[in-house]
Amino acid sequence: ILSDGETSAAIVTLDTIRAWTEMVKLARQRIEKKTGVPAANILVAASHNHSGPGFDVNSPWGRELIEKLGEAAAEAAANMRPVSVGYGEDRISFGINRRKVIHGRAVVRLNPDGPNDPRVKVLRFDDGRSLTPLAVVMHAVCHPCFFTWGDKGSPPYPRGYPKMSADFPGEAQSFVEMCYGGATRSLFLQGCAGDIRPNLPGYPYRCADEADIQWAGRDLGGAVVRTLARGVTREQLRQRAEYYPIRVASSVVSLPGKQGRIDAELQAMKIGPYLLLTMPGEPMVEYGFKLEKAIADRAIPIVIGYANGHVGYIATTEAYEVGGYEPNTSKLAPEAEPIILTELSRLADRVVG
């Protein structure tokens, strides 16, 4: 929960495969009731973990999830204090592009020459009382699908599909919290990972096990911890702002689909110099690069997928020309990309100026 004295906002992260539209609506209603944060100012994002449960509002787990989100938000609101916000970047080593164009057709292959974004972006929130952050938000770009599909030589783990886990984002969050003796809380935001997956070579790739998740989770967690430690050196502290205005804007756009129009919620959340931009589905990695290029001179961008709903794959216009898994299975038409980019730029204008 964040507040600048005039505007309040909330960030919710989940170890689930998507932020289901119905779940987002219920979570926002519950959090608004418990905290007073306007529903429109609540960002609900999923890690895109392929090894978590599905959501059913009528299931015991679904009801428990909404209840616990409300309780967590109420606890956060009751323990608010003034903070400053630090930012830093590092890198991970385990992500790789999964598309390769062969004879004019995109196929599923591990492609080290394809576009990729190994950067880790980290926000730390400090009250100045110690070197331990009150909270950490980490952002990285890679499918959390370690316990899922593999080639015929490495069937899904262990003897079926899948084993329940929080995948590498959960391992990374636990690692970061362990490094601070359990005295901080960490959140994970997924980037534009539509065509980025773990680099597990096989035919075309192998299934993973606990060792792989530990490797990736601690690779990410180690990058985050390095960034956090660097962020409280005196040189870094001098760069922090004294005031962090919060601004939130969102809109629902009608996108062209292969079988009719599709509504999609887009959101911009400004926290001081940092700008979070969200899309409700699986954007290919190029979306992040394009949005950053458009706004990096005005704010520090953090582009988030899998948030505030789910419309499936969000492929680039260029991807449709060579086909492949992402554009072929997307519900959207190629003309959706410029609408999404234009509207997110407009929302950025509203909150940044």
Side-chain angles (χ1 to χ4, degrees):
I1 306 290
L2 303 166
S3 174
D4 64 2
E6 296 182 358
T7 302
S8 59
I11 299 173
V12 179
T13 65
L14 301 165
D15 294 322
T16 56
I17 195 167
R18 63 187 62 160
W20 297 271
T21 301
E22 184 179 21
M23 184 269 291
V24 171
K25 179 181 178 180
L26 293 172
R28 284 172 164 171
Q29 290 174 346
R30 183 62 58 89
I31 292 169
E32 181 176 37
K33 181 178 180 180
K34 291 284 189 177
T35 67
V37 176
N41 290 6
I42 300 171
L43 190 167
V44 183
S47 69
H48 196 47
N49 169 34
H50 285 47
S51 302
F55 179 77
D56 179 353
V57 65
N58 296 314
S59 70
W61 181 82
R63 293 191 295 270
E64 182 182 14
L65 172 64
I66 299 303
E67 183 64 30
K68 285 188 173 181
L69 288 176
E71 293 173 357
E75 181 180 351
N79 290 279
M80 294 180 69
R81 65 186 73 172
V83 296
S84 65
V85 186
Y87 173 84
E89 295 184 7
D90 208 293
R91 298 171 75 86
I92 53 175
S93 64
F94 57 86
I96 190 170
N97 194 283
R98 69 181 188 189
R99 286 170 56 86
K100 188 170 185 176
V101 178
I102 300 176
H103 301 309
R105 182 174 66 93
V107 296
V108 176
R109 293 288 189 278
L110 299 182
N111 183 9
D113 299 319
N116 188 17
D117 188 357
R119 294 172 299 170
V120 177
K121 299 182 177 183
V122 182
L123 293 172
R124 63 171 290 160
F125 298 81
D126 293 284
D127 62 4
R129 299 178 184 179
S130 73
L131 297 178
T132 298
L134 284 180
V136 176
V137 177
M138 65 182 82
H139 172 276
V141 180
C142 185
H143 258 68
C145 58
F146 276 84
F147 274 158
T148 54
W149 307 277
D151 57 48
K152 292 182 179 179
S154 58
Y157 181 93
R159 285 187 298 274
Y161 168 85
K163 179 175 180 178
M164 191 76 73
S165 80
D167 214 281
F168 77 83
E171 177 76 17
Q173 291 172 87
S174 296
F175 182 83
V176 170
E177 294 174 6
M178 177 191 72
C179 289
Y180 287 96
T184 192
R185 294 292 179 265
S186 61
L187 290 79
F188 174 85
L189 292 172
Q190 182 65 264
C192 299
D195 51 346
I196 307 298
R197 65 155 288 123
N199 187 6
L200 300 171
Y203 302 97
Y205 39 75
R206 66 172 176 81
C207 193
D209 56 27
E210 286 92 342
D212 297 305
I213 286 186
Q214 185 181 88
W215 158 55
R218 295 190 179 186
D219 188 28
L220 172 57
V224 173
V225 170
R226 284 194 301 272
T227 304
L228 294 173
R230 187 168 59 247
V232 286
T233 61
R234 65 189 68 179
E235 291 83 6
Q236 293 294 313
L237 290 174
R238 280 198 293 265
Q239 297 178 24
R240 295 196 185 186
E242 294 184 1
Y243 176 63
Y244 299 85
I246 295 173
R247 304 289 183 268
V248 185
S250 61
S251 65
V252 176
V253 294
S254 176
L255 299 175
K258 295 174 181 176
Q259 298 181 352
R261 309 296 296 189
I262 298 174
D263 288 342
E265 180 184 336
L266 306 175
Q267 186 180 57
M269 180 181 292
K270 169 183 163 65
I271 306 170
Y274 313 111
L275 178 63
L276 280 57
L277 297 174
T278 74
M279 286 172 275
E282 304 195 45
M284 292 176 65
V285 69
E286 292 92 340
Y287 273 88
F289 297 141
K290 292 177 181 181
L291 287 164
E292 286 191 16
K293 184 177 180 180
I295 63 174
D297 62 332
R298 294 179 291 154
I300 297 174
I302 300 175
V303 184
I304 302 160
Y306 315 90
N308 301 332
H310 186 75
V311 299
Y313 278 102
I314 305 175
T316 62
T317 300
E318 295 88 346
Y320 288 87
E321 298 174 3
V322 294
Y325 183 73
E326 296 82 9
N328 289 353
T329 58
S330 175
K331 299 176 183 177
L332 300 174
E335 295 77 17
E337 179 187 345
I339 298 173
I340 293 170
L341 295 178
T342 299
E343 183 61 15
L344 282 172
S345 295
R346 191 183 72 83
L347 293 173
D349 291 340
R350 287 175 57 185
V351 299
V352 175

